[in-house]
Amino acid sequence: MKKLIIANLKMNFSKDEMIEYVDEIRNKISNTLDLVICPSSVYIYMFEKAGYNIGSQNAYYLGKGPFTGEISPIQLKSLGVSHVIIGHSERRNNFDETDILIGKKLAACLKENIKPILCIGETLNQKQCRKTAEVLKNQLLVAFKDIPKDEMYDVIVAYEPVWAIGSGKIPEVKDIQDAAIFIKDVIRKKYDIEIKVLYGGSVDKSNIEKINNIMELDGLLIGSSSLNASYFVEMLDLID
Ligand code: PGA
């Protein structure tokens, strides 16, 4: 099965820089990978025109109305968006997103047939207190509380330890593997289905091969290392 690669460009690039980026990666990424690019919403049209799979970095949970500054899954769908990152730790921490709000966003995306990528992960303190499993289970069960089984098939979970994001540090391979097995088990026990699990947090050229070799993972969520077009292309060549 093709590995799913999510590039989270976060709040980066001016318009001209983005045009250059699209140009630089065009036709250079192997089609043995399933690549989804998540630019700032203002640049989604550029990726739509260039024929990429597009993801959004966020979505609101209502369809339309007086919610200044928000973007709905219906609007995203009309722009050709197929995936939405939900509950990234930067949104949990900087915008006070709770597991309950995240659950509503998941439900709203699924209703529009958009695949949500739910980000979960422990902080350094939680890791040191050996609470990783408890934290992951809680984040999963609260977020999926109101999602019916027949909608769960489209769900993707990204295991992103908060302390690994943008830090240059990654967990031991065994810890990533254990987390992926654990997440799949929690979902299997509750819903009796198999979901895709990705890893995200400081993936770069030096570690992508060993992380990609973890059998239990279905793909990667890449932040900083996707920002430089030539670096990104070279890095993905390593797992082609
Ligand atoms: P990073 O970001 O690759 O820069 O650590 C990953 C993410 O935030 O999803």
Side-chain angles (χ1 to χ4, degrees), residues 50-91:
Y52 284 92
N53 298 320
I54 314 159
S56 169
Q57 298 172 17
N58 185 28
Y60 195 51
Y61 67 89
L62 292 173
K64 64 175 189 173
F67 303 100
T68 303
E70 292 294 337
I71 306 178
S72 76
I74 297 178
Q75 292 174 311
L76 292 169
K77 181 93 197 241
S78 73
L79 294 172
V81 166
S82 56
H83 293 69
V84 178
I85 299 173
I86 302 281
H88 191 282
S89 66
E90 287 155 14
R91 295 216 54 91

Side-chain angles (χ1 to χ4, degrees), residues 8 10 85 88-90 119 160 164-168 200-203 221-225:
N8 179 8
K10 308 195 181 181
I85 299 173
H88 191 282
S89 66
E90 287 155 14
C119 298
E160 297 213 304
I165 296 175
S167 65
S202 294
V203 176
L221 202 163
I222 301 170
S224 341
S225 295

Side-chain angles (χ1 to χ4, degrees), residues 180-237:
I181 293 172
F182 180 77
I183 292 165
K184 290 186 179 197
D185 268 1
V186 169
I187 300 298
R188 201 180 295 118
K189 276 195 194 117
K190 176 138 200 259
Y191 296 97
D192 194 24
I193 61 164
E194 297 298 318
I195 56 153
K196 283 193 175 138
V197 174
L198 317 178
Y199 168 78
S202 294
V203 176
D204 64 21
K205 263 189 190 173
S206 74
N207 57 36
I208 192 165
E209 287 166 282
K210 77 172 175 192
I211 301 176
N212 186 57
N213 283 338
I214 299 174
M215 288 285 296
E216 290 77 8
L217 286 181
D218 303 286
L220 304 167
L221 202 163
I222 301 170
S224 341
S225 295
S226 63
L227 297 180
N228 178 307
S230 53
Y231 183 96
F232 185 46
V233 169
E234 281 167 28
M235 182 174 82
L236 293 187
D237 274 349

Side-chain angles (χ1 to χ4, degrees), residues 122 125-136:
E122 80 287 359
N125 185 265
Q126 289 163 336
K127 177 182 166 63
Q128 285 161 346
C129 297
R130 298 182 182 281
K131 290 205 166 131
T132 301
E134 185 189 323
V135 169
L136 298 183

